[in-house]
Amino acid sequence: MKSGAAAKDNSPPREGHDFRSSCSIARALDLLGDKWTLLIVRDLLWHGKHSFTALQGSAERMPTNILAQRLKKLMAWGLVRREAYQDKPVRYAYELTEAGKTLEPLLLQVMQWGHEQLRGGLYDPKTGKSRGPRAQN
Amino acid sequence: MKSGAAAKDNSPPREGHDFRSSCSIARALDLLGDKWTLLIVRDLLWHGKHSFTALQGSAERMPTNILAQRLKKLMAWGLVRREAYQDKPVRYAYELTEAGKTLEPLLLQVMQWGHEQLRGGLYDPKTGKSRGPRAQN
């Protein structure tokens, strides 16, 4: 592993960012408020996807440029780090930092809402098992 | 109140929507994954802002076209309804439906994360009191 390629772990959220307001929800959305960022967190946290190619392979088919931009942003905020596991061409393994792992309760709550209101599937991180989408009433 | 202008309450999430995947998180983000939608829910749920003008007055200064589009989307999904409270010109009062109110636990979790990781303020819906942003370490 190339330690030089690893972002610092446990780094505090970026100082000096010009947030829209002091509201915690607005601040969280400055970082997480899009259709993709939490899917990357989901795949890193629960589904063992740690390469760019693996992350691209998820059912939602994240476009290459969006995935690259979101990973860059997550690294800049200290929520994701990467380490080179291969030279020529260089290949990186991405993983959540300790700060990134604090997103798990939020992710579980979003999943619960999507399950109850939009009939999506349910994943249990304790067992690693998924249940399919909820049946229609 | 003009009952004809009120969207049906307790309406189920829109049927037949072409979700990106069966993942509950991806489904929730299809609807909530942007920088504004949850701020509208916050203001309707906790801050007594029920007119277009009041919603526009929040610290984040939501642009008119974005606010109009997000309210329309929230109504189409049965999470918000409106009633006309004035004619000529017509003025609407917006409020969360029962389905919209189910977003409260998700909102609390997003706020908690933004407070702990991004040093935003904290609002207690039980007392209606806010605490300012977290002090820097």
Side-chain angles (χ1 to χ4, degrees):
Chain A
M1 291 259 183
K2 305 252 178 207
S3 63
K8 195 169 47 144
D9 202 349
N10 244 328
S11 52
R14 188 158 58 178
E15 304 295 332
H17 176 78
D18 189 18
F19 287 112
R20 286 181 290 172
S21 76
S22 64
C23 170
S24 288
I25 297 166
R27 290 187 173 201
L29 295 178
D30 275 356
L31 176 49
L32 308 171
D34 66 63
K35 296 196 187 315
W36 302 103
T37 300
L38 286 177
L39 299 185
I40 298 173
V41 175
R42 170 200 70 183
D43 286 347
L44 292 172
L45 185 63
W46 292 337
H47 302 315
K49 298 182 180 178
H50 295 287
S51 69
F52 197 94
T53 309
L55 289 165
Q56 268 202 306
S58 290
E60 295 84 10
R61 314 306 302 175
M62 195 172 328
T64 304
N65 58 333
I66 292 185
L67 177 56
Q69 192 275 334
R70 295 300 189 279
L71 282 170
K72 200 172 160 185
K73 187 172 183 181
L74 285 164
M75 287 189 287
W77 283 80
L79 301 180
V80 165
R81 64 178 168 194
R82 69 178 184 184
E83 296 195 25
Y85 65 88
Q86 181 194 293
D87 273 334
K88 295 176 191 171
V90 64
R91 301 268 184 231
Y92 295 102
Y94 297 88
E95 63 180 328
L96 293 171
T97 63
E98 289 309 308
K101 288 175 191 166
T102 66
L103 282 165
E104 186 163 27
L106 190 161
L107 213 55
L108 285 165
Q109 198 70 59
V110 172
M111 180 174 70
Q112 191 62 38
W113 192 83
H115 175 66
E116 288 171 5
Q117 296 293 320
L118 306 175
R119 302 195 175 92
L122 211 53
Y123 174 78
D124 182 349
K126 291 200 189 91
T127 63
K129 286 189 183 155
S130 295
R131 276 198 277 151
R134 252 183 70 199
Q136 308 254 346
N137 297 327
Chain B
M1 292 257 184
K2 305 254 178 206
S3 62
K8 198 169 44 147
D9 202 348
N10 244 328
S11 51
R14 188 157 58 180
E15 304 295 334
H17 177 79
D18 189 19
F19 286 111
R20 286 180 290 172
S21 76
S22 65
C23 170
S24 288
I25 297 167
R27 290 187 172 201
L29 295 178
D30 275 356
L31 176 48
L32 308 171
D34 65 65
K35 296 197 188 315
W36 303 103
T37 300
L38 286 177
L39 299 185
I40 298 174
V41 175
R42 171 200 70 183
D43 286 347
L44 292 172
L45 185 64
W46 292 337
H47 302 316
K49 298 184 181 178
H50 295 286
S51 68
F52 197 93
T53 309
L55 289 165
Q56 268 202 305
S58 291
E60 295 85 9
R61 315 305 303 175
M62 196 174 326
T64 304
N65 59 332
I66 291 186
L67 176 56
Q69 192 274 336
R70 296 297 190 281
L71 282 170
K72 199 172 160 184
K73 187 172 184 182
L74 285 164
M75 287 190 287
W77 282 80
L79 301 181
V80 166
R81 65 179 168 193
R82 70 178 183 183
E83 296 196 24
Y85 66 87
Q86 182 193 294
D87 274 333
K88 296 175 191 170
V90 64
R91 300 270 183 231
Y92 295 102
Y94 297 87
E95 64 181 329
L96 292 172
T97 62
E98 290 309 308
K101 289 175 189 165
T102 65
L103 282 165
E104 187 163 26
L106 190 161
L107 213 55
L108 285 166
Q109 197 70 60
V110 172
M111 179 174 69
Q112 191 64 37
W113 192 82
H115 176 67
E116 287 170 7
Q117 296 292 320
L118 307 174
R119 302 195 177 91
L122 212 53
Y123 174 78
D124 182 348
K126 290 198 190 93
T127 64
K129 287 188 182 156
S130 294
R131 276 198 277 150
R134 252 183 70 199
Q136 308 254 347
N137 295 329

